[in-house]
Amino acid sequence: MKFFHLSDLHIGKQLHHYNLCEEQRFILQQIVDYAKKEHPDAILLAGDIYDVAVPSAEAVSVFDNFLTSLSEIEPAIPVMMIAGNHDSARRIDFASSILAKNDVYIAGMPPVTPEEKVKKVTLEDAYGPVDFYLLPFVKPGYVRKLVEEEITSYDGAVKAVLSREEIDAARRNVIISHQFYTAGASEPLISDSEMHIVGGIENVDVSCLASFDYAALGHIHRAQKIGEERFRYSGTPLPYSVSEASDEKAITVVELGEKGTPAVVTSHPLKPRHAVRKLTGKLEDILEKKEYAKDFVSVTLTDEVESNRPKEQLETVFERILEIKIDNARTRNLLNFTTGKVEHVDPYEAFCSFFKEMNHRELSEEEDAFLREVIQKQIGGEEE
């Protein structure tokens, strides 16, 4: 049984202020092309289909085109998808009964009443059946009617849901899940584009997935295993933050043999339409890197002498500038100074100073008025 494991498409997402829908169309077409060429037995989408709960019409169109393209492949390839924490469970579930008749299986909500079970899809190959369990993002509040005791942790919530399933250990079992899984004290490597609650209350110990031959996980944006090789995050198909600039994005390809043999995991590389790059150096040197003109670039300037209008100069070469940072002796001394004992500073003055340091100009009248309004609202909110 061979299947593609994907997750965290985040369709509709912006990278800084750039709309990524065309980038996503481009990368999703590569996935369709791989599916046409290899014809896997299934395609698994482990949550966060969209970037927001109420996606734009453009985002819906991108995903609709992707599903339509997959559905046109013959013979049909079953697609199984779950809702992630960014998705609206009810919207993802829309028309799921009709779509199931066309081999698109959707689980938006986990079981929330005693009568409900985790959605299961069974496929067969030469070694017999494979049971796929579709477990969407689970919150403690979702399971309050499932068990008698109060559940307050995500770990307890996932365990409560799985404890009610009658999983046949003699069969091959795969789970599709979207949570922040950890292996004891070991946490997955995250990037700047994930949503993660500090303090560990989101954590779910991966040991609760011991009954499964493979866990197709979503939520973490870097491809990696967590604990054992069979518990894997596929990562995002595109870099969604500067911290992912060096990541090699890919489709995770899984092959299950007969029961008791480990899953074989390989990957197919995904090449973005425009790469995300970090460029560091003096302004004159970075301006020579014209081969990256169309990429998304994060620029760090190291000039000790302040350049004349660096942003304007960079914009003459690079079409997609994400950010411009300064790293020289002056900024490092400022950083060292601010890491010491900090005296109380008026928030208005602090922001004005920061803005001037970063943009080499004073606030405009409109920006100044807006800043004062925001600070006043914040102060007023604290006093209420």
Side-chain angles (χ1 to χ4, degrees), residues 50 52-56 60 63 81 83 86-96 99 106-109:
Y50 296 109
V52 294
V54 185
S56 67
V60 173
F63 188 57
M81 55 184 277
H86 278 250
D87 298 311
S88 164
R90 300 301 182 191
R91 285 184 171 85
I92 289 292
D93 250 339
F94 177 75
S96 58
L99 290 169
I106 302 172
M109 282 291 291

Side-chain angles (χ1 to χ4, degrees), residues 53-86:
V54 185
S56 67
E58 183 182 25
V60 173
S61 174
V62 171
F63 188 57
D64 176 65
N65 181 71
F66 177 54
L67 276 187
T68 301
S69 298
L70 290 176
S71 70
E72 292 172 349
I73 300 173
E74 294 183 354
I77 301 173
V79 176
M80 305 177 206
M81 55 184 277
I82 63 172
N85 58 302
H86 278 250

Side-chain angles (χ1 to χ4, degrees), residues 44-285:
L44 316 184
L45 302 177
D48 280 357
I49 307 302
Y50 296 109
D51 191 54
V52 294
V54 185
S56 67
E58 183 182 25
V60 173
S61 174
V62 171
F63 188 57
D64 176 65
N65 181 71
F66 177 54
L67 276 187
T68 301
S69 298
L70 290 176
S71 70
E72 292 172 349
I73 300 173
E74 294 183 354
I77 301 173
V79 176
M80 305 177 206
M81 55 184 277
I82 63 172
N85 58 302
H86 278 250
D87 298 311
S88 164
R90 300 301 182 191
R91 285 184 171 85
I92 289 292
D93 250 339
F94 177 75
S96 58
S97 297
I98 297 173
L99 290 169
K101 296 177 182 178
N102 293 280
D103 290 316
V104 178
Y105 303 94
I106 302 172
M109 282 291 291
V112 295
T113 66
E115 296 76 25
E116 295 176 322
K117 294 282 190 176
V118 174
K119 181 173 288 189
K120 183 172 72 172
V121 178
T122 300
L123 302 180
E124 298 230 7
D125 65 4
Y127 297 106
V130 178
D131 293 330
F132 292 85
Y133 290 81
L134 282 60
L135 179 61
F137 184 64
V138 180
K139 294 181 180 180
Y142 291 170
V143 302
R144 63 180 182 273
K145 295 181 181 179
L146 292 182
V147 291
E148 294 182 0
E149 69 271 21
E150 183 181 5
I151 302 293
T152 59
S153 70
Y154 285 73
D155 184 77
V158 173
K159 288 178 179 176
V161 172
L162 292 178
S163 67
R164 302 171 62 254
E165 300 299 318
E166 298 176 357
I167 300 172
D168 187 346
R171 293 158 67 107
R172 291 170 295 166
N173 299 292
V174 175
I175 188 169
I176 312 171
S177 180
H178 189 99
Q179 303 284 159
F180 189 85
Y181 283 101
T182 57
S186 176
E187 294 193 352
L189 180 64
I190 66 172
S191 62
D192 293 343
S193 56
E194 282 106 338
M195 290 180 64
H196 174 47
I197 299 175
V198 177
I201 64 170
E202 262 194 349
N203 295 10
V204 179
D205 196 278
V206 77
S207 60
C208 68
L209 305 182
S211 300
F212 296 95
D213 299 277
Y214 184 81
L217 306 180
H219 191 48
I220 301 303
H221 291 187
R222 284 185 163 131
Q224 59 194 288
K225 68 174 183 178
I226 182 68
E228 301 179 39
E229 290 287 344
R230 59 184 170 134
F231 306 139
R232 300 198 68 88
Y233 287 104
S234 64
T236 57
L238 282 170
Y240 288 139
S241 68
V242 174
S243 66
E244 299 164 65
S246 61
D247 292 1
E248 295 182 359
K249 301 299 184 177
I251 300 171
T252 299
V253 183
V254 183
E255 294 188 62
L256 285 181
E258 62 181 317
K259 180 70 178 183
T261 61
V264 177
V265 180
T266 56
S267 63
H268 293 322
L270 294 171
K271 300 299 181 185
R273 182 165 171 250
H274 301 110
V276 175
R277 300 187 185 278
K278 293 181 181 179
L279 303 180
T280 301
K282 293 183 178 180
L283 177 62
E284 63 177 353
D285 295 331

Side-chain angles (χ1 to χ4, degrees), residues 13-27:
K13 186 174 180 61
Q14 291 192 336
L15 181 58
H16 289 231
H17 53 284
Y18 292 99
N19 184 317
L20 293 180
C21 277
E22 287 308 310
E23 310 294 322
Q24 291 169 329
R25 286 185 193 274
F26 183 84
I27 213 72

